[in-house]
Amino acid sequence: MNRSAPPLGVKIPNSALEFTDDASLVIVILGASGDLAKRKTYPALCTLHAKKFLPQNCKILGYARSELTNESHKGMIKPYLKGTEEEIDAFLEITEYVPGQYCLAGQGPSVFKSLCDKIEAHEDGRTRCNRMFYLALPPSIYPEVCANIKHELPTNNSGWTRIVLEKPFGRDLASSEELNRHICALYREDQLYRIDHYLGKELVQNLVVMRFANRFFSPIWNRDNVSNIQIIFKEKIGCEGRGGYFDKYGIVRDIIQNHLIQVMALVAMERPCTLSADDIRDEKLKVLRCTKPLASDNIVIGQYGRGVDADGNLRQGYREDETVPSDSNCPTFAMCVLYVNNERWNGVPFILKAGKALNESKVEIRVQLRDVPGDLFLQKAAPKGTQTRNELVVRLQPDPSIYMKMTVKEPGLETTITQSEMELLYTDKYVNAVIPEAYERLILDCIYGDQQHFVRRDELQAAWSIFTPVLHFIDAGGMVPEEYAFGSRGPLEADELRKRVGHVTNIIQRDITWDDTPSHTPRFTTHAPLSP
């Protein structure tokens, strides 16, 4: 087999028959003409094919309502593919497009007949036929599509069938459970791969290794030493062009309830018994079940108005977008404070922050330690009488890195105290290493049957239980988002909330990402003090 060994951390299949020459793999992308498919799914598959991580007998079938030919569909996705011309052409050779509709099984003629014919033609003569269905579709049609797959594309061999489901998975606990009820009646949990691409990011995957393979973290990773933990998602761009979609969900459903809460669970979980998918997900679930439902006095929401972006351009406000209702109260910014009610984390605030149209784009985890008791150097610090806290920062983007902020003496005859950092910058340390895209890793995990980085049904249920009460309160008009200027750091109330729960502003030069572009003049007039 002309295929590389699986990368470290990818589960090797138990049966060698899965990828022998007489076996096959068909990957069906439903919603193949959509934005997600062309920007994420197809490029990830192209890279995996170029690196020879896909089985030799692999076929990729795209299916969507759009009336496209094979050639026009290939022309549509080709600009998004990465690699040499030879690699891209070789990948396009194994792709094919099938136009069609979606409807409930049993209503009229089989809409998947043409798709079924293509699958069976590729599988003809194979002893083991594996199928992966990637649903790059609105969740509202998941039940009918899954029913079609189950009833109209039956398998009569020893291969596996796996279903990849994209977020958002519901709007609240009830709608999420309704979706799960329909889908789980058709497929077992071990066949379902609820994808959260943040779990595929390199430094998120490093969290388990970093926490449990380094002894010096264990004694300090608790409420006695940690003051607060921030998990931050910031984007410079607004919702231009996708306001119609975004307005249905808002920033809490779109980012915090899935991406950030999953990262929080990895940060806070106990040591798993093994590295198996279920052992890790069991520990994450315990964290989520111990987390109190979000209270309305522990959340600040905002919506961006007109302002100046990082390049000095005047940008329109959220409500000025033609795809957004003029009276929308959809939050484009939120800061939430959650508490995990267990022995390790009791009383420690987990501050989850996400926003669009801000002053910078970055995603990071910040673990701020408590003050040093009986500090000998308070009068040597600048300004005098203040203490700078140690802080561990895991930056997912830009420039993936891990650094610890620590207090040191400045060089010279005087004893002047300052803060510096011990740092691992991935682009410097691993110069020739290629950091894989999240979708590449997650699709490969699905092929190999490793569910560690996918969300289990009970995890999803526990996460929605945390946020559903306050989301219903916001939807009913119980809270109105505070307006903040496009290109600013967000609502003023967010800094006040963070200070109230015990966060101490502690900025060093390494924390700054917004002055990388010379033309960008930071605007801090709406905030004091400055904080990430």
Side-chain angles (χ1 to χ4, degrees):
M1 173 69 62
N2 184 23
R3 181 179 59 83
S4 302
L8 184 65
V10 175
K11 181 180 178 182
I12 299 175
N14 294 325
S15 171
L17 290 175
E18 285 195 27
F19 299 113
T20 54
D21 289 338
D22 59 348
S24 70
L25 172 63
V26 175
I27 300 174
V28 180
I29 303 172
L30 297 149
S33 61
D35 195 58
L36 174 65
K38 67 184 181 184
R39 291 181 181 274
K40 296 295 183 181
T41 315
Y42 276 107
L45 287 167
C46 181
T47 301
L48 292 174
H49 183 263
K51 294 178 179 178
K52 303 189 186 306
F53 282 129
L54 296 183
Q56 189 173 18
N57 299 317
C58 180
K59 182 74 172 180
I60 299 172
L61 296 173
Y63 184 91
R65 291 190 177 103
S66 303
E67 289 293 336
L68 300 172
T69 64
N70 267 327
E71 292 308 312
S72 61
H73 182 256
K74 290 178 181 180
M76 182 184 75
I77 64 173
K78 188 173 182 178
Y80 298 93
L81 307 180
K82 296 179 181 178
T84 65
E85 193 69 24
E86 182 181 355
E87 289 171 340
I88 292 173
D89 288 343
F91 170 72
L92 293 175
E93 282 296 314
I94 68 168
T95 67
E96 197 168 347
Y97 181 78
V98 182
Q101 298 294 315
Y102 308 111
C103 74
L104 289 172
Q107 292 185 358
S110 171
V111 291
F112 279 178
K113 178 64 169 63
S114 55
L115 183 60
C116 184
D117 291 343
K118 295 289 185 183
I119 294 174
E120 290 180 349
H122 179 71
E123 293 177 344
D124 187 38
R126 310 290 183 187
T127 58
R128 187 178 182 90
C129 304
N130 304 304
R131 299 175 180 179
M132 185 175 89
F133 295 89
Y134 193 112
L135 275 59
L137 297 166
S140 59
I141 63 173
Y142 283 175
E144 57 187 315
V145 172
C146 287
N148 267 335
I149 294 171
K150 181 74 172 182
H151 299 299
E152 300 185 13
L153 301 173
T155 55
N156 298 310
N157 54 70
S158 58
W160 47 254
T161 296
R162 293 170 185 155
I163 311 293
V164 181
L165 304 168
E166 275 282 355
K167 76 168 188 75
F169 208 78
R171 285 181 46 82
D172 55 14
L173 179 59
S175 59
S176 174
E177 277 300 287
E178 181 69 8
L179 278 174
N180 272 317
R181 186 176 63 81
H182 285 291
I183 295 170
C184 292
L186 299 166
Y187 294 99
R188 303 185 309 271
E189 184 65 28
D190 65 347
Q191 294 179 285
L192 299 175
Y193 289 69
R194 299 176 189 87
I195 196 167
D196 185 328
H197 73 273
Y198 265 61
L199 296 179
K201 288 183 177 291
E202 181 68 29
L203 264 70
V204 171
Q205 300 215 330
N206 207 348
L207 285 174
V208 174
V209 178
M210 186 179 72
R211 279 199 56 198
F212 301 117
N214 295 289
R215 181 163 186 153
F216 64 86
F217 279 122
S218 182
I220 66 170
W221 212 261
N222 53 56
R223 60 188 171 92
D224 296 327
N225 296 284
V226 175
S227 168
N228 59 85
I229 297 176
Q230 293 188 86
I231 302 172
I232 300 169
F233 169 95
K234 300 175 72 176
E235 277 190 333
K236 291 192 292 186
I237 62 173
C239 299
E240 300 89 341
R242 65 188 292 261
Y245 161 82
F246 186 85
D247 202 71
K248 297 176 183 176
Y249 295 96
I251 198 73
V252 178
R253 291 181 173 96
D254 194 43
I255 301 295
I256 297 178
Q257 183 275 334
N258 40 71
H259 300 328
L260 301 196
I261 199 72
Q262 283 290 319
V263 174
M264 181 188 119
L266 286 170
V267 170
M269 74 179 191
E270 298 296 322
R271 181 188 183 95
C273 296
T274 71
L275 291 176
S276 72
D278 277 336
D279 281 347
I280 290 176
R281 295 191 295 182
D282 284 346
E283 296 304 328
K284 288 164 58 187
L285 177 63
K286 291 177 186 177
V287 172
L288 298 175
R289 285 182 170 170
C290 287
T291 302
K292 301 175 182 178
L294 177 60
S296 60
D297 58 349
N298 279 336
I299 179 173
V300 170
I301 58 175
Q303 184 185 91
Y304 67 86
R306 186 175 297 191
V308 179
D309 67 13
D311 297 317
N313 301 313
L314 181 64
R315 303 294 295 272
Q316 66 179 9
Y318 178 74
R319 293 184 183 181
E320 295 176 289
D321 188 329
E322 61 182 14
T323 63
V324 172
S326 59
D327 60 348
S328 172
N329 280 325
C330 175
T332 60
F333 174 99
M335 177 181 285
C336 311
V337 179
L338 298 175
Y339 291 92
V340 180
N341 188 26
N342 64 13
E343 184 179 8
R344 181 182 294 273
W345 297 114
N346 186 52
V348 176
F350 285 78
I351 305 166
L352 278 54
K353 171 183 175 181
K356 293 182 174 292
L358 298 176
N359 63 320
E360 58 181 330
S361 292
K362 71 177 179 182
V363 181
E364 60 187 18
I365 304 158
R366 308 181 74 90
V367 181
Q368 188 175 86
L369 302 187
R370 297 187 183 279
D371 290 337
V372 174
D375 191 350
L376 296 173
F377 301 100
L378 281 178
Q379 300 307 312
K380 301 291 185 180
K384 288 185 178 181
T386 63
Q387 186 181 99
T388 51
R389 288 180 167 180
N390 298 127
E391 196 166 18
L392 173 69
V393 181
V394 180
R395 179 168 293 160
L396 280 62
Q397 61 189 52
D399 300 327
S401 58
I402 302 171
Y403 61 95
M404 170 65 85
K405 294 156 65 173
M406 61 184 299
T407 302
V408 297
K409 174 188 174 296
E410 284 188 351
L413 297 176
E414 296 182 351
T415 303
T416 302
I417 302 301
T418 188
Q419 270 212 327
S420 187
E421 69 278 349
M422 297 188 297
E423 179 177 23
L424 166 61
L425 182 62
Y426 268 55
T427 51
D428 286 351
K429 175 66 175 178
Y430 306 107
V431 178
N432 297 319
V434 177
I435 298 177
E437 292 289 334
Y439 278 88
E440 296 169 21
R441 188 187 302 274
L442 294 175
I443 290 173
L444 194 59
D445 281 349
C446 183
I447 293 172
Y448 280 89
D450 187 351
Q451 291 186 303
Q452 175 181 332
H453 306 116
F454 295 84
V455 181
R456 207 167 57 189
R457 179 180 181 176
D458 49 4
E459 286 184 80
L460 191 64
Q461 183 182 44
W464 274 120
S465 296
I466 296 168
F467 291 98
T468 291
V470 78
L471 285 170
H472 285 175
F473 181 67
I474 293 171
D475 292 344
M479 296 180 70
V480 177
E482 178 186 351
E483 183 173 315
Y484 61 95
F486 197 117
S488 70
R489 292 181 44 254
L492 286 166
E493 290 182 10
D495 282 343
E496 296 167 6
L497 173 60
R498 183 162 45 187
K499 183 178 180 181
R500 173 167 65 80
V501 300
H503 176 267
V504 173
T505 299
N506 184 23
I507 289 288
I508 62 174
Q509 184 60 38
R510 185 64 186 88
D511 295 319
I512 307 298
T513 62
W514 54 81
D515 62 353
D516 293 339
T517 305
S519 62
H520 183 181
T521 302
R523 293 169 299 284
F524 306 134
T525 55
T526 61
H527 286 77
L530 176 63
S531 184

